[in-house]
Amino acid sequence: MESAGATNPLQQNDGAVFDDDIPQLSSHALEALREFIAEQNRTVVEASSGEQPEEEVALLAEDWRLSQFWYDRETAETVAREVLALCETLEFPSVACIACPTLYAYLKKIDPNVQAQLLEYDHRFSSYGTEFTFYDYNKPEDLPSSLKHSYSVIVADPPYLSQECLEKVSETISFLLRSGKSYLLLLTGDVQKDRAAELLDLRPCRFRPQHSSKLGNEFRLFTNYDPGMRLGGWEGE
């Protein structure tokens, strides 16, 4: 649950607010929200400054109003390395990151040459230049035609845990996905398990994504391929 794509992010489904649309925070995270919102436009100090561990990636501050909750370092690195491992199996690898700027940042940190595109609602990420595309999940196919059927690896993190949001993100995935050999990874709440299977034919892995803000919701990583020994394998295998 990395970033919103809604023009009114806290209000969906004919104006009604649903509990499953809004992430549930732990008491510790709620206490920290004041600081997050106050510092939403402050960038994290660069790793080279020596004020943060070298392995960390500099990220913009989370904006809770856009449903932004960054992955922790272990999650971001694990998923990024999985994506890069998948790219090695492809002749012409290309990666689309839908509403998951943390993953994009770690991908480029580990392999600056990886061909990756970030589709994101928050214009602060336009600093990524041509690898940034504005994306509003309410308009799932309102994207440049050059992106259509262009990506063999897609990672998506829908901003809300609603059926409507996942359905629309699924439309975006169909728009972007290249025919032939391709891989899909979805990071979302466990409550979306049945919908992920129905809409995208995905199965959950044993690996459990974690966020820096310690969300109360249980999150899962779903894939359309058998990861084997990686990511803990498929659940139930």
Side-chain angles (χ1 to χ4, degrees), residues 108-143:
K108 302 300 285 191
K109 173 71 173 181
I110 298 170
D111 182 0
N113 296 318
V114 64
Q115 183 181 339
Q117 189 76 18
L118 174 63
L119 286 75
E120 169 59 46
Y121 186 77
D122 189 343
H123 279 287
R124 291 183 298 167
F125 293 99
S126 63
S127 60
Y128 292 144
T130 58
E131 292 191 343
F132 167 85
T133 297
F134 175 75
Y135 172 64
D136 182 342
Y137 83 83
N138 289 300
K139 302 174 182 178
E141 296 188 359
D142 187 12
L143 295 166

PDB file of all heavy atoms in Angstrom, residues 108-143:
ATOM      1  N   LYS A 108      16.477   0.435  -8.696  1.00  0.00           N
ATOM      2  CA  LYS A 108      17.493   1.288  -9.311  1.00  0.00           C
ATOM      3  C   LYS A 108      18.754   1.371  -8.446  1.00  0.00           C
ATOM      4  O   LYS A 108      19.851   1.602  -8.967  1.00  0.00           O
ATOM      5  CB  LYS A 108      16.926   2.685  -9.563  1.00  0.00           C
ATOM      6  CG  LYS A 108      15.683   2.716 -10.451  1.00  0.00           C
ATOM      7  CD  LYS A 108      15.955   2.124 -11.834  1.00  0.00           C
ATOM      8  CE  LYS A 108      16.744   3.039 -12.720  1.00  0.00           C
ATOM      9  NZ  LYS A 108      16.784   2.581 -14.127  1.00  0.00           N
ATOM     10  N   LYS A 109      18.594   1.198  -7.135  1.00  0.00           N
ATOM     11  CA  LYS A 109      19.761   1.186  -6.256  1.00  0.00           C
ATOM     12  C   LYS A 109      20.608  -0.063  -6.510  1.00  0.00           C
ATOM     13  O   LYS A 109      21.837   0.010  -6.612  1.00  0.00           O
ATOM     14  CB  LYS A 109      19.295   1.230  -4.794  1.00  0.00           C
ATOM     15  CG  LYS A 109      20.409   1.044  -3.762  1.00  0.00           C
ATOM     16  CD  LYS A 109      21.328   2.240  -3.687  1.00  0.00           C
ATOM     17  CE  LYS A 109      22.301   2.102  -2.539  1.00  0.00           C
ATOM     18  NZ  LYS A 109      23.214   3.268  -2.421  1.00  0.00           N
ATOM     19  N   ILE A 110      19.937  -1.217  -6.604  1.00  0.00           N
ATOM     20  CA  ILE A 110      20.655  -2.477  -6.792  1.00  0.00           C
ATOM     21  C   ILE A 110      21.195  -2.605  -8.205  1.00  0.00           C
ATOM     22  O   ILE A 110      22.326  -3.054  -8.414  1.00  0.00           O
ATOM     23  CB  ILE A 110      19.728  -3.665  -6.451  1.00  0.00           C
ATOM     24  CG1 ILE A 110      19.302  -3.597  -4.974  1.00  0.00           C
ATOM     25  CG2 ILE A 110      20.429  -4.995  -6.738  1.00  0.00           C
ATOM     26  CD1 ILE A 110      18.211  -4.585  -4.605  1.00  0.00           C
ATOM     27  N   ASP A 111      20.372  -2.210  -9.195  1.00  0.00           N
ATOM     28  CA  ASP A 111      20.804  -2.299 -10.592  1.00  0.00           C
ATOM     29  C   ASP A 111      20.356  -1.032 -11.333  1.00  0.00           C
ATOM     30  O   ASP A 111      19.238  -0.972 -11.834  1.00  0.00           O
ATOM     31  CB  ASP A 111      20.226  -3.535 -11.269  1.00  0.00           C
ATOM     32  CG  ASP A 111      20.685  -3.688 -12.718  1.00  0.00           C
ATOM     33  OD1 ASP A 111      21.459  -2.826 -13.196  1.00  0.00           O
ATOM     34  OD2 ASP A 111      20.270  -4.664 -13.365  1.00  0.00           O
ATOM     35  N   PRO A 112      21.203  -0.023 -11.393  1.00  0.00           N
ATOM     36  CA  PRO A 112      20.823   1.240 -12.051  1.00  0.00           C
ATOM     37  C   PRO A 112      20.458   1.072 -13.522  1.00  0.00           C
ATOM     38  O   PRO A 112      19.794   1.948 -14.082  1.00  0.00           O
ATOM     39  CB  PRO A 112      22.093   2.099 -11.898  1.00  0.00           C
ATOM     40  CG  PRO A 112      22.830   1.503 -10.749  1.00  0.00           C
ATOM     41  CD  PRO A 112      22.559   0.032 -10.811  1.00  0.00           C
ATOM     42  N   ASN A 113      20.846  -0.033 -14.133  1.00  0.00           N
ATOM     43  CA  ASN A 113      20.583  -0.227 -15.560  1.00  0.00           C
ATOM     44  C   ASN A 113      19.272  -0.942 -15.849  1.00  0.00           C
ATOM     45  O   ASN A 113      18.909  -1.105 -17.019  1.00  0.00           O
ATOM     46  CB  ASN A 113      21.735  -1.017 -16.193  1.00  0.00           C
ATOM     47  CG  ASN A 113      23.050  -0.269 -16.137  1.00  0.00           C
ATOM     48  OD1 ASN A 113      23.094   0.936 -16.380  1.00  0.00           O
ATOM     49  ND2 ASN A 113      24.116  -0.973 -15.791  1.00  0.00           N
ATOM     50  N   VAL A 114      18.569  -1.373 -14.807  1.00  0.00           N
ATOM     51  CA  VAL A 114      17.319  -2.079 -15.051  1.00  0.00           C
ATOM     52  C   VAL A 114      16.320  -1.146 -15.736  1.00  0.00           C
ATOM     53  O   VAL A 114      16.201   0.035 -15.396  1.00  0.00           O
ATOM     54  CB  VAL A 114      16.727  -2.632 -13.731  1.00  0.00           C
ATOM     55  CG1 VAL A 114      16.347  -1.512 -12.778  1.00  0.00           C
ATOM     56  CG2 VAL A 114      15.525  -3.519 -14.016  1.00  0.00           C
ATOM     57  N   GLN A 115      15.617  -1.674 -16.730  1.00  0.00           N
ATOM     58  CA  GLN A 115      14.612  -0.881 -17.439  1.00  0.00           C
ATOM     59  C   GLN A 115      13.314  -0.933 -16.635  1.00  0.00           C
ATOM     60  O   GLN A 115      12.616  -1.943 -16.632  1.00  0.00           O
ATOM     61  CB  GLN A 115      14.383  -1.431 -18.848  1.00  0.00           C
ATOM     62  CG  GLN A 115      13.394  -0.606 -19.667  1.00  0.00           C
ATOM     63  CD  GLN A 115      13.178  -1.182 -21.053  1.00  0.00           C
ATOM     64  OE1 GLN A 115      14.005  -1.933 -21.569  1.00  0.00           O
ATOM     65  NE2 GLN A 115      12.055  -0.832 -21.666  1.00  0.00           N
ATOM     66  N   ALA A 116      13.003   0.154 -15.962  1.00  0.00           N
ATOM     67  CA  ALA A 116      11.848   0.178 -15.067  1.00  0.00           C
ATOM     68  C   ALA A 116      11.065   1.474 -15.239  1.00  0.00           C
ATOM     69  O   ALA A 116      11.644   2.539 -15.479  1.00  0.00           O
ATOM     70  CB  ALA A 116      12.294   0.028 -13.619  1.00  0.00           C
ATOM     71  N   GLN A 117       9.750   1.372 -15.089  1.00  0.00           N
ATOM     72  CA  GLN A 117       8.858   2.523 -15.192  1.00  0.00           C
ATOM     73  C   GLN A 117       7.997   2.585 -13.942  1.00  0.00           C
ATOM     74  O   GLN A 117       7.403   1.578 -13.535  1.00  0.00           O
ATOM     75  CB  GLN A 117       7.960   2.397 -16.430  1.00  0.00           C
ATOM     76  CG  GLN A 117       7.150   3.640 -16.753  1.00  0.00           C
ATOM     77  CD  GLN A 117       7.997   4.736 -17.387  1.00  0.00           C
ATOM     78  OE1 GLN A 117       9.081   4.475 -17.875  1.00  0.00           O
ATOM     79  NE2 GLN A 117       7.501   5.956 -17.389  1.00  0.00           N
ATOM     80  N   LEU A 118       7.933   3.754 -13.306  1.00  0.00           N
ATOM     81  CA  LEU A 118       7.089   3.949 -12.134  1.00  0.00           C
ATOM     82  C   LEU A 118       5.800   4.644 -12.555  1.00  0.00           C
ATOM     83  O   LEU A 118       5.828   5.745 -13.094  1.00  0.00           O
ATOM     84  CB  LEU A 118       7.815   4.796 -11.089  1.00  0.00           C
ATOM     85  CG  LEU A 118       6.990   5.202  -9.867  1.00  0.00           C
ATOM     86  CD1 LEU A 118       6.543   3.971  -9.073  1.00  0.00           C
ATOM     87  CD2 LEU A 118       7.769   6.161  -8.975  1.00  0.00           C
ATOM     88  N   LEU A 119       4.673   3.995 -12.295  1.00  0.00           N
ATOM     89  CA  LEU A 119       3.361   4.586 -12.519  1.00  0.00           C
ATOM     90  C   LEU A 119       2.836   5.026 -11.160  1.00  0.00           C
ATOM     91  O   LEU A 119       2.570   4.191 -10.285  1.00  0.00           O
ATOM     92  CB  LEU A 119       2.406   3.581 -13.161  1.00  0.00           C
ATOM     93  CG  LEU A 119       2.630   3.267 -14.647  1.00  0.00           C
ATOM     94  CD1 LEU A 119       3.849   2.358 -14.850  1.00  0.00           C
ATOM     95  CD2 LEU A 119       1.398   2.600 -15.245  1.00  0.00           C
ATOM     96  N   GLU A 120       2.664   6.322 -10.981  1.00  0.00           N
ATOM     97  CA  GLU A 120       2.467   6.854  -9.637  1.00  0.00           C
ATOM     98  C   GLU A 120       1.629   8.129  -9.674  1.00  0.00           C
ATOM     99  O   GLU A 120       1.747   8.945 -10.587  1.00  0.00           O
ATOM    100  CB  GLU A 120       3.835   7.120  -9.005  1.00  0.00           C
ATOM    101  CG  GLU A 120       3.856   7.901  -7.732  1.00  0.00           C
ATOM    102  CD  GLU A 120       3.049   7.243  -6.626  1.00  0.00           C
ATOM    103  OE1 GLU A 120       3.194   6.021  -6.432  1.00  0.00           O
ATOM    104  OE2 GLU A 120       2.278   7.961  -5.971  1.00  0.00           O
ATOM    105  N   TYR A 121       0.774   8.289  -8.659  1.00  0.00           N
ATOM    106  CA  TYR A 121      -0.117   9.443  -8.565  1.00  0.00           C
ATOM    107  C   TYR A 121       0.581  10.688  -8.029  1.00  0.00           C
ATOM    108  O   TYR A 121       0.235  11.816  -8.388  1.00  0.00           O
ATOM    109  CB  TYR A 121      -1.286   9.074  -7.641  1.00  0.00           C
ATOM    110  CG  TYR A 121      -2.368  10.117  -7.549  1.00  0.00           C
ATOM    111  CD1 TYR A 121      -3.305  10.277  -8.570  1.00  0.00           C
ATOM    112  CD2 TYR A 121      -2.483  10.923  -6.418  1.00  0.00           C
ATOM    113  CE1 TYR A 121      -4.316  11.220  -8.474  1.00  0.00           C
ATOM    114  CE2 TYR A 121      -3.491  11.875  -6.318  1.00  0.00           C
ATOM    115  CZ  TYR A 121      -4.404  12.022  -7.347  1.00  0.00           C
ATOM    116  OH  TYR A 121      -5.403  12.955  -7.251  1.00  0.00           O
ATOM    117  N   ASP A 122       1.571  10.492  -7.175  1.00  0.00           N
ATOM    118  CA  ASP A 122       2.246  11.588  -6.488  1.00  0.00           C
ATOM    119  C   ASP A 122       3.269  12.238  -7.431  1.00  0.00           C
ATOM    120  O   ASP A 122       4.281  11.632  -7.788  1.00  0.00           O
ATOM    121  CB  ASP A 122       2.941  11.038  -5.245  1.00  0.00           C
ATOM    122  CG  ASP A 122       3.500  12.129  -4.348  1.00  0.00           C
ATOM    123  OD1 ASP A 122       3.640  13.277  -4.805  1.00  0.00           O
ATOM    124  OD2 ASP A 122       3.817  11.815  -3.179  1.00  0.00           O
ATOM    125  N   HIS A 123       3.041  13.495  -7.772  1.00  0.00           N
ATOM    126  CA  HIS A 123       3.908  14.192  -8.719  1.00  0.00           C
ATOM    127  C   HIS A 123       5.299  14.472  -8.159  1.00  0.00           C
ATOM    128  O   HIS A 123       6.190  14.854  -8.921  1.00  0.00           O
ATOM    129  CB  HIS A 123       3.260  15.507  -9.161  1.00  0.00           C
ATOM    130  CG  HIS A 123       2.232  15.337 -10.228  1.00  0.00           C
ATOM    131  ND1 HIS A 123       2.550  15.052 -11.540  1.00  0.00           N
ATOM    132  CD2 HIS A 123       0.877  15.408 -10.178  1.00  0.00           C
ATOM    133  CE1 HIS A 123       1.451  14.968 -12.273  1.00  0.00           C
ATOM    134  NE2 HIS A 123       0.422  15.161 -11.467  1.00  0.00           N
ATOM    135  N   ARG A 124       5.502  14.275  -6.867  1.00  0.00           N
ATOM    136  CA  ARG A 124       6.845  14.456  -6.327  1.00  0.00           C
ATOM    137  C   ARG A 124       7.834  13.497  -6.989  1.00  0.00           C
ATOM    138  O   ARG A 124       9.026  13.796  -7.093  1.00  0.00           O
ATOM    139  CB  ARG A 124       6.855  14.238  -4.814  1.00  0.00           C
ATOM    140  CG  ARG A 124       6.117  15.313  -4.028  1.00  0.00           C
ATOM    141  CD  ARG A 124       6.233  15.052  -2.529  1.00  0.00           C
ATOM    142  NE  ARG A 124       5.618  13.784  -2.154  1.00  0.00           N
ATOM    143  CZ  ARG A 124       5.795  13.191  -0.971  1.00  0.00           C
ATOM    144  NH1 ARG A 124       6.580  13.753  -0.064  1.00  0.00           N
ATOM    145  NH2 ARG A 124       5.197  12.046  -0.694  1.00  0.00           N
ATOM    146  N   PHE A 125       7.331  12.357  -7.452  1.00  0.00           N
ATOM    147  CA  PHE A 125       8.211  11.367  -8.071  1.00  0.00           C
ATOM    148  C   PHE A 125       8.509  11.664  -9.537  1.00  0.00           C
ATOM    149  O   PHE A 125       9.191  10.886 -10.202  1.00  0.00           O
ATOM    150  CB  PHE A 125       7.619   9.970  -7.908  1.00  0.00           C
ATOM    151  CG  PHE A 125       7.587   9.513  -6.477  1.00  0.00           C
ATOM    152  CD1 PHE A 125       6.419   9.617  -5.732  1.00  0.00           C
ATOM    153  CD2 PHE A 125       8.723   9.022  -5.863  1.00  0.00           C
ATOM    154  CE1 PHE A 125       6.388   9.222  -4.401  1.00  0.00           C
ATOM    155  CE2 PHE A 125       8.702   8.627  -4.532  1.00  0.00           C
ATOM    156  CZ  PHE A 125       7.536   8.723  -3.801  1.00  0.00           C
ATOM    157  N   SER A 126       8.013  12.792 -10.027  1.00  0.00           N
ATOM    158  CA  SER A 126       8.357  13.195 -11.397  1.00  0.00           C
ATOM    159  C   SER A 126       9.849  13.504 -11.523  1.00  0.00           C
ATOM    160  O   SER A 126      10.369  13.618 -12.632  1.00  0.00           O
ATOM    161  CB  SER A 126       7.534  14.409 -11.825  1.00  0.00           C
ATOM    162  OG  SER A 126       7.821  15.533 -10.997  1.00  0.00           O
ATOM    163  N   SER A 127      10.528  13.586 -10.383  1.00  0.00           N
ATOM    164  CA  SER A 127      11.981  13.790 -10.408  1.00  0.00           C
ATOM    165  C   SER A 127      12.698  12.605 -11.061  1.00  0.00           C
ATOM    166  O   SER A 127      13.877  12.714 -11.422  1.00  0.00           O
ATOM    167  CB  SER A 127      12.516  13.996  -8.992  1.00  0.00           C
ATOM    168  OG  SER A 127      12.249  12.874  -8.176  1.00  0.00           O
ATOM    169  N   TYR A 128      11.993  11.479 -11.230  1.00  0.00           N
ATOM    170  CA  TYR A 128      12.581  10.329 -11.905  1.00  0.00           C
ATOM    171  C   TYR A 128      12.582  10.500 -13.421  1.00  0.00           C
ATOM    172  O   TYR A 128      13.036   9.610 -14.144  1.00  0.00           O
ATOM    173  CB  TYR A 128      11.832   9.047 -11.532  1.00  0.00           C
ATOM    174  CG  TYR A 128      12.007   8.638 -10.084  1.00  0.00           C
ATOM    175  CD1 TYR A 128      10.959   8.055  -9.382  1.00  0.00           C
ATOM    176  CD2 TYR A 128      13.208   8.832  -9.419  1.00  0.00           C
ATOM    177  CE1 TYR A 128      11.109   7.668  -8.058  1.00  0.00           C
ATOM    178  CE2 TYR A 128      13.365   8.466  -8.097  1.00  0.00           C
ATOM    179  CZ  TYR A 128      12.308   7.876  -7.417  1.00  0.00           C
ATOM    180  OH  TYR A 128      12.457   7.512  -6.110  1.00  0.00           O
ATOM    181  N   GLY A 129      12.083  11.620 -13.893  1.00  0.00           N
ATOM    182  CA  GLY A 129      12.166  11.946 -15.317  1.00  0.00           C
ATOM    183  C   GLY A 129      11.312  11.052 -16.188  1.00  0.00           C
ATOM    184  O   GLY A 129      10.134  10.812 -15.887  1.00  0.00           O
ATOM    185  N   THR A 130      11.890  10.544 -17.258  1.00  0.00           N
ATOM    186  CA  THR A 130      11.118   9.754 -18.232  1.00  0.00           C
ATOM    187  C   THR A 130      10.688   8.406 -17.671  1.00  0.00           C
ATOM    188  O   THR A 130       9.848   7.739 -18.283  1.00  0.00           O
ATOM    189  CB  THR A 130      11.945   9.526 -19.509  1.00  0.00           C
ATOM    190  OG1 THR A 130      13.166   8.854 -19.163  1.00  0.00           O
ATOM    191  CG2 THR A 130      12.266  10.843 -20.187  1.00  0.00           C
ATOM    192  N   GLU A 131      11.220   8.008 -16.526  1.00  0.00           N
ATOM    193  CA  GLU A 131      10.812   6.738 -15.924  1.00  0.00           C
ATOM    194  C   GLU A 131       9.640   6.921 -14.960  1.00  0.00           C
ATOM    195  O   GLU A 131       9.252   5.984 -14.265  1.00  0.00           O
ATOM    196  CB  GLU A 131      11.997   6.071 -15.223  1.00  0.00           C
ATOM    197  CG  GLU A 131      13.051   5.600 -16.217  1.00  0.00           C
ATOM    198  CD  GLU A 131      14.108   4.714 -15.588  1.00  0.00           C
ATOM    199  OE1 GLU A 131      14.229   4.701 -14.347  1.00  0.00           O
ATOM    200  OE2 GLU A 131      14.810   4.024 -16.351  1.00  0.00           O
ATOM    201  N   PHE A 132       9.071   8.113 -14.929  1.00  0.00           N
ATOM    202  CA  PHE A 132       7.860   8.393 -14.147  1.00  0.00           C
ATOM    203  C   PHE A 132       6.690   8.623 -15.091  1.00  0.00           C
ATOM    204  O   PHE A 132       6.803   9.359 -16.079  1.00  0.00           O
ATOM    205  CB  PHE A 132       8.055   9.638 -13.277  1.00  0.00           C
ATOM    206  CG  PHE A 132       6.773  10.176 -12.684  1.00  0.00           C
ATOM    207  CD1 PHE A 132       6.262   9.662 -11.504  1.00  0.00           C
ATOM    208  CD2 PHE A 132       6.073  11.199 -13.319  1.00  0.00           C
ATOM    209  CE1 PHE A 132       5.078  10.164 -10.961  1.00  0.00           C
ATOM    210  CE2 PHE A 132       4.895  11.705 -12.790  1.00  0.00           C
ATOM    211  CZ  PHE A 132       4.395  11.183 -11.597  1.00  0.00           C
ATOM    212  N   THR A 133       5.553   7.987 -14.803  1.00  0.00           N
ATOM    213  CA  THR A 133       4.313   8.223 -15.532  1.00  0.00           C
ATOM    214  C   THR A 133       3.208   8.493 -14.523  1.00  0.00           C
ATOM    215  O   THR A 133       3.007   7.691 -13.588  1.00  0.00           O
ATOM    216  CB  THR A 133       3.917   7.011 -16.399  1.00  0.00           C
ATOM    217  OG1 THR A 133       4.923   6.785 -17.390  1.00  0.00           O
ATOM    218  CG2 THR A 133       2.585   7.241 -17.097  1.00  0.00           C
ATOM    219  N   PHE A 134       2.522   9.609 -14.678  1.00  0.00           N
ATOM    220  CA  PHE A 134       1.407   9.895 -13.770  1.00  0.00           C
ATOM    221  C   PHE A 134       0.325   8.827 -13.939  1.00  0.00           C
ATOM    222  O   PHE A 134      -0.040   8.454 -15.058  1.00  0.00           O
ATOM    223  CB  PHE A 134       0.811  11.270 -14.061  1.00  0.00           C
ATOM    224  CG  PHE A 134      -0.417  11.568 -13.232  1.00  0.00           C
ATOM    225  CD1 PHE A 134      -0.295  11.891 -11.895  1.00  0.00           C
ATOM    226  CD2 PHE A 134      -1.688  11.491 -13.791  1.00  0.00           C
ATOM    227  CE1 PHE A 134      -1.421  12.143 -11.119  1.00  0.00           C
ATOM    228  CE2 PHE A 134      -2.813  11.746 -13.029  1.00  0.00           C
ATOM    229  CZ  PHE A 134      -2.677  12.067 -11.684  1.00  0.00           C
ATOM    230  N   TYR A 135      -0.197   8.351 -12.807  1.00  0.00           N
ATOM    231  CA  TYR A 135      -1.176   7.261 -12.838  1.00  0.00           C
ATOM    232  C   TYR A 135      -2.265   7.486 -11.794  1.00  0.00           C
ATOM    233  O   TYR A 135      -1.975   7.663 -10.602  1.00  0.00           O
ATOM    234  CB  TYR A 135      -0.478   5.930 -12.569  1.00  0.00           C
ATOM    235  CG  TYR A 135      -1.421   4.763 -12.397  1.00  0.00           C
ATOM    236  CD1 TYR A 135      -2.229   4.334 -13.449  1.00  0.00           C
ATOM    237  CD2 TYR A 135      -1.502   4.079 -11.182  1.00  0.00           C
ATOM    238  CE1 TYR A 135      -3.091   3.263 -13.296  1.00  0.00           C
ATOM    239  CE2 TYR A 135      -2.356   2.999 -11.012  1.00  0.00           C
ATOM    240  CZ  TYR A 135      -3.150   2.593 -12.072  1.00  0.00           C
ATOM    241  OH  TYR A 135      -4.010   1.527 -11.928  1.00  0.00           O
ATOM    242  N   ASP A 136      -3.506   7.498 -12.256  1.00  0.00           N
ATOM    243  CA  ASP A 136      -4.673   7.570 -11.387  1.00  0.00           C
ATOM    244  C   ASP A 136      -5.447   6.269 -11.596  1.00  0.00           C
ATOM    245  O   ASP A 136      -5.955   6.006 -12.682  1.00  0.00           O
ATOM    246  CB  ASP A 136      -5.535   8.779 -11.775  1.00  0.00           C
ATOM    247  CG  ASP A 136      -6.750   8.954 -10.871  1.00  0.00           C
ATOM    248  OD1 ASP A 136      -7.126   7.999 -10.169  1.00  0.00           O
ATOM    249  OD2 ASP A 136      -7.331  10.056 -10.886  1.00  0.00           O
ATOM    250  N   TYR A 137      -5.536   5.438 -10.552  1.00  0.00           N
ATOM    251  CA  TYR A 137      -6.160   4.126 -10.737  1.00  0.00           C
ATOM    252  C   TYR A 137      -7.635   4.234 -11.132  1.00  0.00           C
ATOM    253  O   TYR A 137      -8.211   3.279 -11.672  1.00  0.00           O
ATOM    254  CB  TYR A 137      -5.989   3.262  -9.488  1.00  0.00           C
ATOM    255  CG  TYR A 137      -7.006   3.501  -8.390  1.00  0.00           C
ATOM    256  CD1 TYR A 137      -8.260   2.894  -8.413  1.00  0.00           C
ATOM    257  CD2 TYR A 137      -6.713   4.328  -7.304  1.00  0.00           C
ATOM    258  CE1 TYR A 137      -9.188   3.106  -7.411  1.00  0.00           C
ATOM    259  CE2 TYR A 137      -7.626   4.539  -6.296  1.00  0.00           C
ATOM    260  CZ  TYR A 137      -8.865   3.929  -6.352  1.00  0.00           C
ATOM    261  OH  TYR A 137      -9.789   4.144  -5.351  1.00  0.00           O
ATOM    262  N   ASN A 138      -8.256   5.394 -10.884  1.00  0.00           N
ATOM    263  CA  ASN A 138      -9.637   5.589 -11.317  1.00  0.00           C
ATOM    264  C   ASN A 138      -9.767   5.645 -12.842  1.00  0.00           C
ATOM    265  O   ASN A 138     -10.859   5.515 -13.379  1.00  0.00           O
ATOM    266  CB  ASN A 138     -10.191   6.888 -10.718  1.00  0.00           C
ATOM    267  CG  ASN A 138     -10.414   6.778  -9.227  1.00  0.00           C
ATOM    268  OD1 ASN A 138     -11.189   5.946  -8.773  1.00  0.00           O
ATOM    269  ND2 ASN A 138      -9.721   7.588  -8.453  1.00  0.00           N
ATOM    270  N   LYS A 139      -8.628   5.866 -13.515  1.00  0.00           N
ATOM    271  CA  LYS A 139      -8.598   5.888 -14.976  1.00  0.00           C
ATOM    272  C   LYS A 139      -7.564   4.858 -15.422  1.00  0.00           C
ATOM    273  O   LYS A 139      -6.459   5.211 -15.839  1.00  0.00           O
ATOM    274  CB  LYS A 139      -8.238   7.282 -15.471  1.00  0.00           C
ATOM    275  CG  LYS A 139      -9.204   8.357 -14.986  1.00  0.00           C
ATOM    276  CD  LYS A 139      -8.730   9.753 -15.365  1.00  0.00           C
ATOM    277  CE  LYS A 139      -9.668  10.827 -14.830  1.00  0.00           C
ATOM    278  NZ  LYS A 139      -9.184  12.198 -15.166  1.00  0.00           N
ATOM    279  N   PRO A 140      -7.902   3.588 -15.320  1.00  0.00           N
ATOM    280  CA  PRO A 140      -6.908   2.514 -15.425  1.00  0.00           C
ATOM    281  C   PRO A 140      -6.165   2.417 -16.743  1.00  0.00           C
ATOM    282  O   PRO A 140      -5.046   1.905 -16.776  1.00  0.00           O
ATOM    283  CB  PRO A 140      -7.731   1.244 -15.168  1.00  0.00           C
ATOM    284  CG  PRO A 140      -9.149   1.630 -15.411  1.00  0.00           C
ATOM    285  CD  PRO A 140      -9.250   3.069 -15.039  1.00  0.00           C
ATOM    286  N   GLU A 141      -6.750   2.915 -17.832  1.00  0.00           N
ATOM    287  CA  GLU A 141      -6.067   2.832 -19.123  1.00  0.00           C
ATOM    288  C   GLU A 141      -5.738   4.207 -19.701  1.00  0.00           C
ATOM    289  O   GLU A 141      -5.392   4.321 -20.876  1.00  0.00           O
ATOM    290  CB  GLU A 141      -6.903   2.028 -20.115  1.00  0.00           C
ATOM    291  CG  GLU A 141      -7.090   0.573 -19.693  1.00  0.00           C
ATOM    292  CD  GLU A 141      -7.759  -0.265 -20.759  1.00  0.00           C
ATOM    293  OE1 GLU A 141      -8.092   0.281 -21.826  1.00  0.00           O
ATOM    294  OE2 GLU A 141      -7.944  -1.477 -20.527  1.00  0.00           O
ATOM    295  N   ASP A 142      -5.806   5.219 -18.852  1.00  0.00           N
ATOM    296  CA  ASP A 142      -5.446   6.573 -19.289  1.00  0.00           C
ATOM    297  C   ASP A 142      -3.931   6.739 -19.161  1.00  0.00           C
ATOM    298  O   ASP A 142      -3.419   7.438 -18.291  1.00  0.00           O
ATOM    299  CB  ASP A 142      -6.177   7.610 -18.441  1.00  0.00           C
ATOM    300  CG  ASP A 142      -5.980   9.028 -18.955  1.00  0.00           C
ATOM    301  OD1 ASP A 142      -5.470   9.176 -20.093  1.00  0.00           O
ATOM    302  OD2 ASP A 142      -6.327   9.980 -18.226  1.00  0.00           O
ATOM    303  N   LEU A 143      -3.227   6.059 -20.064  1.00  0.00           N
ATOM    304  CA  LEU A 143      -1.777   5.996 -20.038  1.00  0.00           C
ATOM    305  C   LEU A 143      -1.233   6.175 -21.453  1.00  0.00           C
ATOM    306  O   LEU A 143      -1.958   5.949 -22.427  1.00  0.00           O
ATOM    307  CB  LEU A 143      -1.321   4.634 -19.494  1.00  0.00           C
ATOM    308  CG  LEU A 143      -1.673   4.333 -18.033  1.00  0.00           C
ATOM    309  CD1 LEU A 143      -1.486   2.852 -17.742  1.00  0.00           C
ATOM    310  CD2 LEU A 143      -0.829   5.184 -17.092  1.00  0.00           C
TER     311      LEU A 143
END
